Amino acid sequence: MTTLLLYHAQRAAAPIGSAVRKRAAASLLTARDLTVRFGDFEALRSVSIDLDTRLIHAVIGPNGAGKTTLFNVISGFTKPTAGQVRLDGADVTAVSPNRLARLGLARSFQICSIFPNLSVADNIRTALALDVRGLQLLRGRSRRDETEARVRHLLDQGGLTDESERRAADLPYGRRRLLEIVTTIAIAPKFLLLDEPTAGLAREDIVPVAALIKTVAASCGVLLVEHNLQVVKSLAAKVTVLAEGSVLCEGSYDEVARDPRVINVYIGAERRA
């Protein structure tokens, strides 16, 4: 959680471009012709993707397809060999992860990451109190009141109100996953990247996590890597299928699920597994 929060600092007050004011429905996070090579291995090959605000966009594909590499490039952890990432019209390809977080791009990782010895509420307070200089306590009664109101709202949003004073380490895994997503959205990102948010969850825990993601998408764009195809089907307005580092196809879930290429390389194999 410490490393995660250091990258998830509060978003800068002013956007880095004017596109959002001119075209509210426009794609504000775009990747164009991304290629990533590690020696002779090509992890991504000319991958392009657009992420709209208030839309859930899923990326699916077999293991080794390049999904995590794509996430790493978009969130600034990996620099591409070629291609460009743009946020609000500005080139952010070479921007660091912490700077991207300040600009409104937040990422949750595949491995659940929180402060285990803090209470649920204090995990959220910590996320709210973080700025570009590190941990900084909000001062003044009005600020404290505003923060506590926000904490209560986020607890309610995540369905964690009854566990607010419980130590995070004592939560079941599914509840810890919910808490991690809540702390990530505490900074009110414009775009949220979620790497396999339902991985390792019991069936009964998937429903509240999926419901939270759907709620979050009402206020920001969500890019989702997810192997649970039922979750993808229920949440995603658009799906991009990767295979061997390239875009195989893109469309609605029903459209890509009918594509013979997708059935052959991914969905058919998933059903047989």
Side-chain angles (χ1 to χ4, degrees), residues 135-202:
L135 294 177
Q136 181 185 50
L137 294 177
L138 299 173
R139 294 191 177 125
R141 181 163 184 171
S142 62
R143 296 287 296 275
R144 287 196 300 271
D145 290 346
E146 180 182 343
T147 299
E148 289 307 304
R150 180 71 175 149
V151 169
R152 289 193 296 272
H153 171 73
L154 288 164
L155 286 167
D156 181 66
Q157 196 172 29
L160 294 166
T161 301
D162 292 342
E163 297 157 302
S164 62
E165 298 308 315
R166 191 174 179 183
R167 197 171 70 110
D170 296 332
L171 293 174
Y173 181 74
R175 310 299 284 172
R176 295 201 305 271
R177 200 62 166 153
L178 277 171
L179 176 58
E180 184 193 21
I181 296 173
V182 167
T183 58
T184 306
I185 65 174
I187 64 170
K190 288 186 284 186
F191 297 99
L192 177 63
L193 277 59
L194 296 173
D195 192 357
E196 298 192 30
T198 69
L201 295 186

Side-chain angles (χ1 to χ4, degrees), residues 19-230:
V20 65
R21 292 187 294 270
K22 294 179 180 178
R23 300 182 301 162
S27 297
L28 297 181
L29 178 61
T30 63
R32 285 290 173 269
D33 300 318
L34 293 179
T35 295
V36 176
R37 296 188 186 94
F38 300 107
D40 294 332
F41 175 67
E42 202 167 43
L44 289 180
R45 186 183 308 110
S46 299
V47 171
S48 296
I49 193 168
D50 294 341
L51 180 59
D52 298 333
T53 54
R54 300 184 181 183
L55 181 88
I56 299 176
H57 190 142
V59 178
I60 65 173
N63 291 333
K67 303 183 296 295
T68 298
T69 301
L70 176 62
F71 256 44
N72 287 342
V73 172
I74 292 175
S75 55
F77 287 89
T78 297
K79 303 309 175 192
T81 307
Q84 189 178 76
V85 179
R86 300 186 73 87
L87 178 62
D88 286 352
D91 184 358
V92 295
T93 313
V95 173
S96 65
N98 57 326
R99 176 66 175 159
L100 285 172
R102 288 171 54 207
L103 296 170
L105 181 62
R107 177 179 177 177
S108 176
F109 290 83
Q110 184 176 354
I111 300 173
C112 188
S113 184
I114 53 177
F115 287 116
N117 291 320
L118 293 182
S119 71
V120 170
D122 281 344
N123 266 276
I124 298 173
R125 291 186 185 100
T126 301
L128 290 170
L130 198 69
D131 69 8
V132 297
R133 294 171 297 279
L135 294 177
Q136 181 185 50
L137 294 177
L138 299 173
R139 294 191 177 125
R141 181 163 184 171
S142 62
R143 296 287 296 275
R144 287 196 300 271
D145 290 346
E146 180 182 343
T147 299
E148 289 307 304
R150 180 71 175 149
V151 169
R152 289 193 296 272
H153 171 73
L154 288 164
L155 286 167
D156 181 66
Q157 196 172 29
L160 294 166
T161 301
D162 292 342
E163 297 157 302
S164 62
E165 298 308 315
R166 191 174 179 183
R167 197 171 70 110
D170 296 332
L171 293 174
Y173 181 74
R175 310 299 284 172
R176 295 201 305 271
R177 200 62 166 153
L178 277 171
L179 176 58
E180 184 193 21
I181 296 173
V182 167
T183 58
T184 306
I185 65 174
I187 64 170
K190 288 186 284 186
F191 297 99
L192 177 63
L193 277 59
L194 296 173
D195 192 357
E196 298 192 30
T198 69
L201 295 186
R203 182 170 299 181
E204 61 270 20
D205 292 324
I206 291 175
V207 173
V209 169
L212 177 58
I213 294 169
K214 191 171 185 178
T215 299
V216 170
S219 59
C220 73
V222 176
L223 186 61
L224 173 76
V225 166
E226 181 56 62
H227 278 294
N228 188 317
L229 296 181
Q230 288 304 311

